[in-house]
Amino acid sequence: KGNGCEVFTTVAEAVEGVDAVVSMLPNGAIVDSVYAKDVIGKAPEGAILLDCSTIDVATARKVGEAATAAGYGMVDAPVSGGIAAANAGTLTFMVGGSDSDFARSEPILAAMGKAVIHAGALGAGQAAKICNNMLLGIHMIGTCEAFAMARKLGLDPQKFYDISSVSSGQNWSMTSYCPVPGVGPTSPSDNGYQGGFATALMLKDLKLAMEAARSSGAIVEMGERAKELYEAFADAGNGGLDFSAIIKTL
């Protein structure tokens, strides 16, 4: 807690006799610092280390390799689902690590989520999370634009939802997390865009995606534009609002 974060060390109830360290921290620099100073060499010998932070791929691999060299098993296991899924125990975990480390971590993660998917070697979980959240950011902006244009064309939002939610424009941002109050399942839009997945966190993930794109040579023009729009929205004082609140700009 000395550097503004928490590390949870637990003997996982899901697997008797297994020592595990589970962490979820704000960024790669803090993950690197905490594991170097407070976890590696301090955790029980042979423990499995599960980092559920969303950070850059390079740092995830660096920390994982250091942990492995010290005799620990380690996976990077970022999550998807937000606050509601965390409360309900229905998160999705995207896991990077060796086959053996994934096998040790899977029962622990399964106690907290509905899906635990092995994405590949160390860092693959972060790669999957970054790509997924870039797509989410793009979809949300497109969904907001469609609802705003539909309204200006005289369509009732509920009628547009009823049509598009069963047509080719259907996507998660519409049918599970609608940015229009009173339309679709209950979402942060029904609570003044409070709670949910903060704009500042979406922006963080989009920045990670842009860094990953540059380092890998990927072309992500829509991702870059989504980052610019969320950056402007956050800079206008909306970083604490749910990311679906970007509909306010339309």
Side-chain angles (χ1 to χ4, degrees):
K1 293 185 179 181
N3 58 359
C5 61
E6 295 183 4
V7 180
F8 300 95
T9 305
T10 179
V11 177
E13 295 179 359
V15 185
E16 288 188 17
V18 173
D19 287 324
V21 175
V22 184
S23 60
M24 184 178 286
L25 305 169
N27 58 54
I30 291 176
V31 170
D32 192 6
S33 173
V34 166
Y35 273 83
K37 296 178 181 177
D38 302 315
V39 179
I40 296 174
K42 307 286 180 62
E45 185 177 351
I48 181 74
L49 313 181
L50 301 84
D51 182 45
C52 299
S53 315
T54 296
I55 61 173
D56 60 286
V57 175
T59 299
R61 289 175 177 164
K62 174 188 174 185
V63 174
E65 289 165 0
T68 300
Y72 298 99
M74 185 164 186
V75 297
D76 57 293
V79 304
S80 179
I83 292 173
N87 289 335
T90 58
L91 293 166
T92 293
F93 289 90
M94 312 160 206
V95 187
S98 68
D99 289 345
S100 59
D101 288 343
F102 174 74
R104 292 179 65 195
S105 65
E106 185 177 17
I108 300 167
L109 297 173
M112 299 182 280
K114 66 176 180 179
V116 181
I117 302 169
H118 191 193
L122 275 168
Q126 300 298 341
K129 174 65 182 289
I130 289 169
C131 291
N132 179 77
N133 277 26
M134 181 180 74
L135 185 59
L136 174 60
I138 293 168
H139 277 179
M140 180 56 79
I141 290 171
T143 298
C144 290
E145 288 182 347
F147 270 104
M149 186 167 75
R151 187 188 294 274
K152 290 183 178 181
L153 290 171
L155 280 173
D156 177 77
Q158 183 63 55
K159 293 296 184 183
F160 176 63
Y161 174 89
D162 292 343
I163 294 167
S164 194
S165 64
V166 293
S167 301
S168 55
Q170 185 276 330
N171 65 84
W172 185 89
S173 292
M174 173 182 288
T175 56
S176 296
Y177 212 86
C178 189
V180 179
V183 178
T186 302
S187 69
S189 67
D190 298 306
N191 188 37
Y193 300 97
Q194 299 298 317
F197 185 53
T199 290
L201 294 177
M202 172 54 77
L203 178 58
K204 169 199 166 186
D205 289 357
L206 287 169
K207 287 180 176 180
L208 287 173
M210 295 310 98
E211 292 173 9
R214 285 190 289 272
S215 66
S216 64
I219 298 171
V220 289
E221 294 181 4
M222 294 295 289
E224 181 64 42
R225 183 60 181 143
K227 190 268 292 183
E228 292 170 356
L229 290 171
Y230 273 108
E231 195 162 41
F233 189 54
D235 287 348
N238 300 302
L241 293 180
D242 182 77
F243 79 114
S244 63
I246 199 165
I247 196 170
K248 290 172 172 285
T249 65
L250 304 173

